[in-house]
Amino acid sequence: MKQTKIISRILYYLCIVLSAGYLMTLVYSIICLATGFAVTPYKNDQYLHINYPFTEQPFLNIEHHYPYIIFSFLLVLLSYGIFFWLSALVFKVFFQSKLFTKENILQLKSFYMYNIFIPLPIVVVASFFVEVESIIWGLVFIHFMLGIFCLFLANIFKQGLHLQNEQDLFI
């Protein structure tokens, strides 16, 4: 169990950093796109560079039309920022001194609900406005499978909580 706690703690911090990176990039991109700060159009205004702050060095390259910006760029940053935040909370579950708690079950539930019910509707709605490549449908399937796996874990944790309450079981 010590190995699990070490690995889950490392993955927790990695996911926190990834989530923060996605969400900070989202906020920075929204500010740049809304104000025109650090944005450089190119190729006859078909594309945009979002530059690193206070430089002319490109940070992100995006197409310059609103459906792409909303559905293929900003929504992706937001959804993966949330995904990695929820992943971090799942990894946090596994280095707690007491595994089978209502709070831990809630973390697992949040993760499986997000992965089962959010990616597919996002991609379906986006497909009306932008071209969705076939690999994206594969990612939706992977998120669905992660959600189902976490659903199983949550159910195991619920059973463990009942047993723990009866026997005061610690792992």
Side-chain angles (χ1 to χ4, degrees):
M1 199 63 190
K2 186 176 182 180
Q3 180 185 33
T4 300
K5 287 184 179 203
I6 292 168
I7 292 169
S8 64
R9 190 176 298 269
I10 291 167
L11 291 173
Y12 167 76
Y13 289 113
L14 177 64
C15 286
I16 288 290
V17 168
L18 287 170
S19 176
Y22 273 102
L23 295 174
M24 287 188 309
T25 301
L26 172 69
V27 169
Y28 178 69
S29 298
I30 290 171
I31 290 168
C32 290
L33 292 168
T35 64
F37 170 76
V39 174
T40 308
Y42 66 100
K43 287 197 179 177
N44 297 325
D45 207 30
Q46 289 180 326
Y47 300 96
L48 298 173
H49 286 305
I50 297 176
N51 300 321
Y52 287 102
F54 310 109
T55 71
E56 293 295 319
Q57 191 72 18
F59 171 51
L60 300 165
N61 300 312
I62 61 173
E63 292 180 22
H64 189 197
H65 59 92
Y66 289 109
Y68 174 86
I69 291 170
I70 294 167
F71 293 105
S72 296
F73 179 62
L74 297 176
L75 197 55
V76 171
L77 290 174
L78 175 64
S79 56
Y80 273 102
I82 294 169
F83 169 78
F84 282 115
W85 178 260
L86 293 173
S87 296
L89 296 178
V90 167
F91 287 122
K92 186 177 181 182
V93 164
F94 293 100
F95 64 80
Q96 303 302 309
S97 59
K98 197 171 184 181
L99 282 178
F100 303 116
T101 66
K102 288 182 182 179
E103 294 80 21
N104 288 348
I105 294 168
L106 183 62
Q107 300 305 336
L108 295 169
K109 182 179 180 182
S110 298
F111 184 81
Y112 80 69
M113 294 292 285
Y114 182 82
N115 281 282
I116 291 173
F117 296 111
I118 299 300
L120 182 60
I122 285 175
V123 173
V124 168
V125 170
S127 70
F128 290 113
F129 300 98
V130 294
E131 181 181 346
V132 176
E133 296 180 20
S134 60
I135 188 111
I136 302 303
W137 296 107
L139 286 173
V140 168
F141 178 73
I142 289 169
H143 279 283
F144 181 78
M145 295 305 291
L146 279 171
I148 296 297
F149 180 73
C150 202
L151 169 67
F152 293 163
L153 278 177
N155 287 334
I156 291 168
F157 273 56
K158 283 179 191 174
Q159 185 64 35
L161 179 62
H162 294 301
L163 292 173
Q164 178 175 278
N165 288 340
E166 292 174 10
Q167 303 172 3
D168 202 28
L169 173 68
F170 287 89
I171 294 183

